[in-house]
Amino acid sequence: MRVAVAFDHRGVILRDCVLRELEALGHEAVDLGTDTAAERIDYPDKAREVGEAIRNGDAERGIFICGSGVGASIAACKLPGIRAATCHDVYSAHQGVEHDDMNVLCLGSEVVGPSLTADLVRTYLGARFDGGERYIRRLRKIEELEKGIANV
């Protein structure tokens, strides 16, 4: 699987961990940076890059890390078709994919450490959308919300 990965200046501390885990799992990283904490990176800019990589077909899923994961998920969810969530536990990391077709995992580098990060990445990428009627119905409702916002 091709996975878009992005980090702001605070999220970069988990960069090596995420890239190692993707490699170990046999996934291809679409590396959108950053690779240093020396320059402040505005998380909405990285959210756009991750979202566009998925929307353009350059990646199937994304992983985006900022300090808390909250800003990353708020910004990413503003893009149509992007379903991002902050998940700091393995249940949410797989359930978000299985029931909600989550396509961007957001993490907070100030909340989770490398070991849990590796578990979350593994769980998220190992999960598959259930495809059940009730989940598809809910996704269509989300799409309608996106259309309504776009038409305002």
Side-chain angles (χ1 to χ4, degrees):
M1 181 184 317
R2 290 175 52 94
V3 182
V5 295
F7 312 87
D8 75 0
H9 58 281
R10 290 177 62 204
V12 74
I13 63 173
L14 292 174
R15 176 184 169 80
D16 290 342
C17 171
V18 169
L19 294 175
R20 267 194 316 271
E21 194 60 31
L22 288 175
E23 184 178 348
L25 294 169
H27 297 296
E28 181 182 348
V30 177
D31 189 348
L32 303 173
T34 188
D35 61 0
T36 179
E39 179 183 339
R40 290 195 179 276
I41 304 295
D42 291 335
Y43 62 83
D45 297 333
K46 288 298 173 189
R48 179 183 303 276
E49 291 176 28
V50 170
E52 287 177 352
I54 293 169
R55 290 170 44 91
N56 294 336
D58 297 328
E60 296 166 67
R61 292 200 195 162
I63 298 172
F64 182 17
I65 304 179
C66 67
S68 68
V70 174
S73 62
I74 290 171
C77 283
K78 299 300 180 187
L79 300 163
I82 300 303
R83 293 170 302 280
T86 303
C87 299
H88 292 144
D89 62 88
V90 292
Y91 176 78
S92 298
H94 71 78
Q95 189 272 343
V97 174
E98 294 163 356
H99 293 188
D100 306 308
D101 202 18
M102 177 176 70
N103 54 14
V104 178
L105 173 67
C106 298
L107 301 175
S109 65
E110 304 295 327
V111 182
V112 298
S115 179
L116 181 54
T117 295
D119 287 345
L120 294 167
V121 167
R122 221 175 3 261
T123 300
Y124 164 66
L125 294 176
R128 297 292 172 260
F129 180 55
D130 179 275
E133 184 274 327
R134 66 182 172 163
Y135 305 125
I136 292 172
R137 181 181 70 245
R138 292 169 186 164
L139 287 177
R140 288 197 175 111
K141 289 181 178 188
I142 292 170
E143 290 169 358
E144 290 302 314
L145 287 171
E146 290 173 341
K147 288 176 190 172
I149 292 169
N151 293 328
V152 170

